[in-house]
Amino acid sequence: MKIKFIILFITIGFFSCSDADKNVLEVKSPDSKIAVNFNIDNEGKPFYKVKFNNNIVVDTSYLGFEFKDVPALNENFIIKNTSTSIFNETWRMPWGEQLDVADNYTELKIELQEETSPERFLNIVFKVYDDGVGFRYEFPEQSRLRGDVFITEEHTEFNLKEDYKTFWIPGDWDIYEHLYNTTNLSEIDALQFANHNDLAQTYIPENAVNTPVTMVGSDGVHLSFHEAALIDYSGMTLKVDTKNLNLKSNLVGSENVDYKVKRTVPFNTPWRTIQITDNAPDLVESNLIVNLNEPNKLGDVSWFKPMKYTGVWWEMHLGKSSWDYGMEMIDDEWVDTGKAHGKHGATTENVKEFIDFSAKNNIGGVLVEGWNTGWERWIGFEDREGVFDFVTTYPDYDIDEVVRYGKEKGVDIIMHHETSAATETYEKQLDTAYALMKKYGMHAVKSGYVGKILPKGEYHHGQYMVNQYNKAAIKAAEYEVAVNAHEPIKATGLRRTYPNIISREGLRGQEFNAWASDGGNPPEHLPIVAFTRMLSGPIDFTPGIFNIKFDEYKKDNQVNTTLAQQLALYVVIYSPVQMAADLVEHYEANPEPLQFIKDVGVDWERTKVLNGEVGDYVTIARKERETGNWFVGGISDENSRVLELEFSFLDDNQTYEAIIYKDGKNAHWNDNPLDIKIEKIDIKKDSKLTVKLAEGGGFAISLKKT
Ligand code: NOJ
Ligand code: CA
């Protein structure tokens, strides 16, 4: 329901606004805690401010654009018209962290026009929610700005008032797989990360950060900056002015053109977002990003079922097996010269083992990486176009038989498309590749974009690639295929509009623990991720490593958490596809903790964040759709801590059989990661529980209705 009413119809003359605050427009969130002020200054420059509980959190921040060939659009404006409206509706997630989402905001639309020639129009729309603010620019149809526009920079400012404690990764145009840093805003130094041993590609041209970037103030205010509905535009990094505590949009560019975004008028930009709460848990419960996206355009997507999956995957990262088979490319053809090295992972036999294990353990899918020809010329090769195809199997992988066997056992095969960032090759093959999947009844693909983008000069997060990722997802939907991209574009809530965009990487995932030269993800990694990257959408982190040290494969690498924390991640880190990433033999040797993976849900009716502090710890409870069972997960950083849990979220008059998987007395992520204690008790709504989390530890609880 959208109620629209015009609060003001003003034509503010250039001279009438000599007192900048006189004609200020204000719009407040439904609960009145957040207020946005908008005005233009003496030079006709548009600016806004944001208040939270009557305190300014974003001070005078200017807005505008620069273009190639035409004058900038950032001053000399008059306000032609303004309107506000209230919207309050509930929509349903086909799969997700919750079933029903309240979409409740107040909108302010400002129609600006340049006072003198060329008298162009620009609209700015603010939507103010109880959990934050979104605003975007709208370029309406007009005679003085027509056809294609070439944006060289968007000048959106976020002028902050405090030297916030900031959780950030560098504004890399190519990759999100950096560790998070915790510093004051004034101490951000992204350029120190310009070179990184473990990243396939990295480009950090400015002292900027990628989003979501999360900040905590001395009075407890929590802010997170990001964007929503990134469509046909470049990703936005935020340039940091450490002296003036100011963030400014810096769009990802391309070496191939002299602009950053090309659009045809009329068009709208993505939403610029600020999530604002007075505590950390509310940030995680915020639905601002999905709410700012358009409703579902695909209709019924029940062909995709949220699921747990295993796969031919961790064994390659450990070096137990390989993606490639050992073929040679002769005259543009892959040839089996009979010199195969014998370490190939994706064999019919191996995949069948994963199918058997999955069928036994309530796991719905098996991912198979390294099934198709081309892996011999993957990482490190300049010329990657035309190398992979997405229909030709290696000689030891019988796809017909694997799919048949999976069907017999009730297990789906998850397709894998490593594009190696050779975008032209992939784009040409989208139809063929997805048609093959359709033929086999495969409804999910994990795609990958490792390496420098081809064509050379493009970056993973520029407009060219935004369009590649979105095109692939929209095309996939035509074939009833759901997409889980790695090395993806950032999540901006598009899963609401295209619910076949199910999950993605876009962070330092579990794989780094297998091979990173810096010792892997430190224990604080995921307690930061939960309040940063996870605010943007589902994460394919691939949890569940039981053989934490894996010395038999890699002496110098390990997972830096306890086993109990690996279980907790199934609840804490949200994704509708959740991998049980370890090797079958490591699970079979540990049937008791495996029980949690077997039981845990993947599709939720409700999510409740019970406690947490950014970078320290977090506990999340989720109620499974259909069964009504609850699952709770809690994780800690490098510090041990005691948490008091309450269960007021449970149903009235209902007893739940709880299995608690917690760190043992001597558990420690490094000294004793496998020490786990499992106990069964009954829990009710008024129960209380004290849990101790080890250093790098965690706990998981399943609560089944008795
Ligand atoms: C990087 C992905 O993150 C990883 O999961 C995958 O195994 C490799 N690329 C190969 O595609
Ligand atoms: Ca990756």
Side-chain angles (χ1 to χ4, degrees):
M1 177 209 6
K2 186 161 177 171
I3 310 166
K4 194 148 207 156
F5 53 95
I6 308 288
I7 44 157
L8 279 162
F9 185 90
I10 39 174
T11 315
I12 303 171
F14 185 60
F15 300 105
S16 68
C17 49
S18 56
D19 171 8
D21 277 345
K22 210 163 78 192
N23 296 301
V24 65
L25 297 163
E26 183 168 271
V27 64
K28 285 188 172 172
S29 57
D31 69 0
S32 296
K33 286 189 177 171
I34 301 177
V36 171
N37 290 357
F38 179 86
N39 208 345
I40 49 176
D41 74 4
N42 289 340
E43 288 158 24
K45 291 187 176 158
F47 67 91
Y48 74 101
K49 297 181 194 183
V50 180
K51 291 187 220 160
F52 181 54
N53 292 330
N54 289 318
N55 297 320
I56 292 190
V57 287
V58 180
D59 208 350
T60 304
S61 296
Y62 288 95
L63 304 166
F65 290 89
E66 271 182 284
F67 308 101
K68 182 185 151 182
D69 301 333
V70 298
L73 195 56
N74 57 2
E75 59 181 5
N76 186 28
F77 279 118
I78 53 171
I79 297 175
K80 287 293 282 184
N81 193 15
T82 70
S83 54
T84 64
S85 55
I86 297 168
F87 188 85
N88 191 2
E89 226 173 64
T90 298
W91 57 280
R92 194 151 263 205
M93 289 183 156
W95 45 265
E97 303 94 319
Q98 64 197 82
L99 191 57
D100 292 315
V101 184
D103 190 359
N104 183 200
Y105 62 85
T106 318
E107 179 181 297
L108 169 66
K109 179 171 182 174
I110 306 114
E111 295 171 38
L112 300 171
Q113 186 178 17
E114 289 174 301
E115 215 198 0
T116 53
S117 175
E119 297 180 346
R120 292 166 298 180
F121 295 100
L122 177 67
N123 301 337
I124 300 171
V125 178
F126 289 90
K127 287 187 179 182
V128 189
Y129 291 76
D130 291 347
D131 54 352
V133 176
F135 61 92
R136 74 174 177 194
Y137 305 88
E138 299 184 352
F139 288 76
E141 186 100 62
Q142 52 192 297
S143 57
R144 296 199 179 85
L145 188 63
R146 282 170 104 159
D148 291 343
V149 295
F150 300 89
I151 298 172
T152 51
E153 198 52 87
E154 173 187 319
H155 294 295
T156 298
E157 289 182 352
F158 304 92
N159 193 7
L160 305 178
K161 298 276 287 175
E162 187 183 328
D163 192 9
Y164 290 108
K165 183 175 181 186
T166 304
F167 299 85
W168 59 276
I169 50 173
D172 195 319
W173 288 15
D174 252 335
I175 204 159
Y176 278 86
E177 299 179 17
H178 289 269
L179 282 176
Y180 279 86
N181 299 278
T182 308
T183 68
N184 280 359
L185 178 54
S186 65
E187 290 162 349
I188 290 177
D189 172 17
L191 293 172
Q192 65 181 299
F193 300 106
N195 292 303
H196 195 293
N197 285 345
D198 299 314
L199 299 180
Q201 70 286 319
T202 178
Y203 181 61
I204 307 168
E206 305 268 5
N207 188 22
V209 294
N210 267 329
T211 67
V213 55
T214 298
M215 301 184 190
V216 180
S218 51
D219 58 352
V221 67
H222 287 64
L223 303 174
S224 189
F225 299 87
H226 189 48
E227 60 181 306
L230 175 52
I231 299 171
D232 200 4
Y233 206 82
S234 281
M236 176 182 70
T237 71
L238 294 172
K239 200 164 150 178
V240 186
D241 177 345
T242 51
K243 247 200 179 142
N244 299 306
L245 308 179
N246 186 324
L247 305 173
K248 201 174 194 177
S249 55
N250 194 254
L251 300 177
V252 172
S254 152
E255 308 299 330
N256 300 327
V257 289
D258 52 0
Y259 54 83
K260 288 184 169 177
V261 172
K262 176 183 168 194
R263 288 297 294 268
T264 310
V265 179
F267 71 93
N268 303 329
T269 68
W271 296 92
R272 280 51 189 105
T273 63
I274 316 169
Q275 280 155 294
I276 310 172
T277 63
D278 53 18
N279 62 74
D282 283 358
L283 270 187
V284 181
E285 286 189 21
S286 163
N287 286 309
L288 184 81
I289 305 298
V290 271
N291 271 335
L292 285 166
N293 278 267
E294 297 288 313
N296 183 350
K297 286 191 177 162
L298 300 182
D300 178 23
V301 289
S302 57
W303 40 262
F304 164 70
K305 301 259 180 290
M307 62 175 154
K308 291 170 274 189
Y309 69 100
T310 59
V312 184
W313 179 75
W314 187 238
E315 57 183 81
M316 278 88 97
H317 290 272
L318 289 182
K320 179 188 175 192
S321 70
S322 71
W323 284 274
D324 65 284
Y325 173 92
M327 289 169 80
E328 277 172 40
M329 202 183 218
I330 301 169
D331 295 333
D332 282 345
E333 293 282 337
W334 284 108
V335 181
D336 179 5
T337 59
K339 289 183 277 182
H341 50 51
K343 264 188 89 178
H344 181 224
T347 65
T348 308
E349 201 192 348
N350 194 19
V351 175
K352 280 187 172 181
E353 247 182 70
F354 278 96
I355 293 174
D356 287 339
F357 172 78
S358 302
K360 258 190 261 158
N361 290 288
N362 186 32
I363 295 175
V366 175
L367 165 74
V368 185
E369 294 199 6
W371 66 276
N372 59 329
T373 55
W375 290 88
E376 288 79 1
R377 285 171 60 89
W378 175 43
I379 278 185
F381 287 86
E382 281 281 298
D383 179 14
R384 284 166 275 123
E385 291 290 6
V387 170
F388 276 116
D389 78 43
F390 306 94
V391 293
T392 311
T393 60
Y394 278 130
D396 53 353
Y397 184 63
D398 183 345
I399 190 170
D400 289 312
E401 172 57 12
V402 161
V403 170
R404 186 205 62 76
Y405 191 73
K407 286 219 166 90
E408 188 183 306
K409 301 268 169 163
V411 174
D412 293 340
I413 302 300
I414 299 178
M415 178 46 91
H416 185 238
H417 292 164
E418 174 53 68
T419 71
S420 72
T423 60
E424 283 162 15
T425 302
Y426 192 49
E427 201 180 342
K428 263 189 244 154
Q429 292 188 47
L430 285 179
D431 279 293
T432 342
Y434 297 144
L436 183 84
M437 291 182 63
K438 187 148 199 198
K439 172 181 142 194
Y440 285 116
M442 297 181 184
H443 289 292
V445 62
K446 169 177 169 180
S447 56
Y449 295 81
V450 172
K452 284 300 275 177
I453 298 291
L454 296 176
K456 270 192 187 143
E458 300 298 342
Y459 295 102
H460 277 72
H461 307 134
Q463 186 181 14
Y464 173 84
M465 281 309 293
V466 166
N467 289 339
Q468 287 287 321
Y469 291 113
N470 290 349
K471 234 185 283 175
I474 290 166
K475 175 62 79 183
E478 289 172 23
Y479 292 86
E480 299 193 341
V481 165
V483 180
N484 164 21
H486 278 227
E487 301 76 50
I489 188 62
K490 66 173 110 175
T492 59
L494 273 179
R495 64 176 160 138
R496 179 177 179 188
T497 315
Y498 302 103
N500 72 319
I501 302 179
I502 47 173
S503 195
R504 80 190 70 212
E505 191 186 41
L507 86 168
R508 254 176 85 123
Q510 182 88 274
E511 62 189 31
F512 275 76
N513 294 325
W515 40 253
S517 62
D518 61 8
N521 304 332
E524 66 163 18
H525 182 54
L526 291 165
I528 301 178
V529 162
F531 300 97
T532 50
R533 161 68 181 83
M534 200 165 85
L535 304 187
S536 68
I539 302 177
D540 188 34
F541 182 75
T542 65
I545 300 303
F546 280 16
N547 182 5
I548 299 271
K549 297 257 180 184
F550 49 83
D551 280 344
E552 59 273 49
Y553 294 107
K554 301 258 188 116
K555 278 241 160 356
D556 297 332
N557 296 91
Q558 67 172 67
V559 172
N560 302 315
T561 74
T562 64
L563 172 55
Q565 182 179 120
Q566 287 295 308
L567 297 180
L569 297 179
Y570 287 90
V571 188
V572 171
I573 302 297
Y574 172 66
S575 174
V577 284
Q578 199 68 281
M579 189 170 202
D582 211 339
L583 311 182
V584 168
E585 55 266 34
H586 297 158
Y587 287 131
E588 284 180 338
N590 294 283
E592 283 129 8
L594 178 61
Q595 186 64 40
F596 184 77
I597 297 183
K598 194 168 168 180
D599 292 341
V600 69
V602 271
D603 196 22
W604 311 106
E605 187 176 316
R606 256 185 83 196
T607 283
K608 190 98 199 73
V609 183
L610 304 184
N611 55 44
E613 291 295 346
V614 187
D616 298 336
Y617 66 98
V618 60
T619 305
I620 300 184
R622 303 193 197 263
K623 183 183 190 181
E624 191 181 25
R625 292 189 191 183
E626 291 182 9
T627 66
N629 294 330
W630 282 83
F631 296 85
V632 183
I635 61 173
S636 182
D637 63 2
E638 68 283 2
N639 299 305
S640 94
R641 65 189 77 239
V642 173
L643 297 175
E644 309 288 344
L645 300 182
E646 292 189 0
F647 294 88
S648 55
F649 50 86
L650 294 177
D651 288 356
D652 294 330
N653 307 319
Q654 174 71 53
T655 304
Y656 294 81
E657 181 193 272
I659 309 181
I660 304 166
Y661 304 77
K662 60 183 184 186
D663 292 323
K665 246 210 201 103
N666 301 313
H668 180 281
W669 65 270
N670 194 32
D671 303 338
N672 202 356
L674 301 182
D675 186 12
I676 190 167
K677 188 150 191 250
I678 301 173
E679 48 188 40
K680 260 192 199 157
I681 57 169
D682 280 349
I683 281 192
K684 287 186 177 167
K685 199 182 175 76
D686 58 2
S687 302
K688 299 207 180 344
L689 190 71
T690 305
V691 231
K692 182 166 180 260
L693 290 76
E695 292 89 341
F699 67 93
I701 309 175
S702 61
L703 293 145
K704 277 194 206 167
K705 289 185 180 175
T706 54

